[in-house]
Amino acid sequence: MELMMRCRYLIAFLAAVSPSVIALAAGDGSGAVEVFRRTCLAQGSSFDAIASAAAAKGWKPLPGGDFERLAPLEDVDFSSGWMATDRALPEPVVIGVTKARRDGRPVETCTVAFTKVPIEPFLKAFSDSTDAEKLSEESEGTWTSRLYMLVAGDRKQFVKLKYARSPDGNGPMAASSIAER
């Protein structure tokens, strides 16, 4: 139930902070994967690196605490989120980072959230461009959550993909990396 509520909040929140639909060209999941890879995987979920990039690029900060509801883990110590827009992004996206705990160990997370992305092409592009090993998949209603493990940015990372398909094959997605601090 908690996952469903967090995902519903994701849709409402993203729609509220961006009046234009955050979408990539139909059928192009590789652009969204590239945004996620550049932002989160290449940085190794570095809270400080993402926060510095946000300041340097002038991303608009989200109101305090709002990003925690989109975070991939529930035990969050600190979070920051931004509405990211720059020439390197195809459309505005929500980007956020947390310092959190996973199984009692300190971790950093990085999330890129889209309100509308082509789900199957994204999953295929993610699979084709990484050596990620799928660890689990859970469904609750129309929402699916997948957990992967991979090595990127010279660190072992977990990747959590949360998404919901609409009848046209597109839907909201939050792609998150989780790495030990």
Side-chain angles (χ1 to χ4, degrees), residues 9-92:
Y9 180 79
L10 169 70
I11 293 173
F13 178 76
L14 290 175
V17 296
S18 179
S20 64
V21 174
I22 300 169
L24 299 172
D28 182 14
S30 62
V33 169
E34 180 59 19
V35 169
F36 174 58
R37 187 198 63 74
R38 268 192 337 260
T39 306
C40 295
L41 297 180
Q43 299 288 339
S45 294
S46 171
F47 185 97
D48 295 331
I50 301 298
S52 294
K57 294 178 180 189
W59 294 345
K60 180 182 175 187
L62 300 177
D66 277 355
F67 181 73
E68 284 185 23
R69 297 178 201 169
L70 301 175
L73 301 173
E74 293 180 17
D75 193 8
V76 173
D77 298 327
F78 187 76
S79 70
S80 291
W82 304 268
M83 176 56 67
T85 55
D86 63 45
R87 288 179 289 158
L89 298 171
E91 295 287 340

Side-chain angles (χ1 to χ4, degrees), residues 140-161:
E140 187 174 327
T142 59
W143 289 93
T144 302
S145 179
R146 289 185 178 183
L147 184 66
Y148 297 86
M149 183 179 65
L150 61 93
V151 175
D154 296 326
R155 303 189 337 184
K156 178 176 135 181
Q157 297 182 54
F158 292 92
V159 170
K160 185 173 187 178
L161 303 177

Side-chain angles (χ1 to χ4, degrees), residues 29 32-33 36 114 117-127 161 173 175:
V33 169
F36 174 58
F114 306 89
V117 69
I119 301 298
E120 288 305 320
F122 181 99
L123 296 173
K124 180 172 179 0
F126 177 75
S127 177
L161 303 177
M173 177 176 286

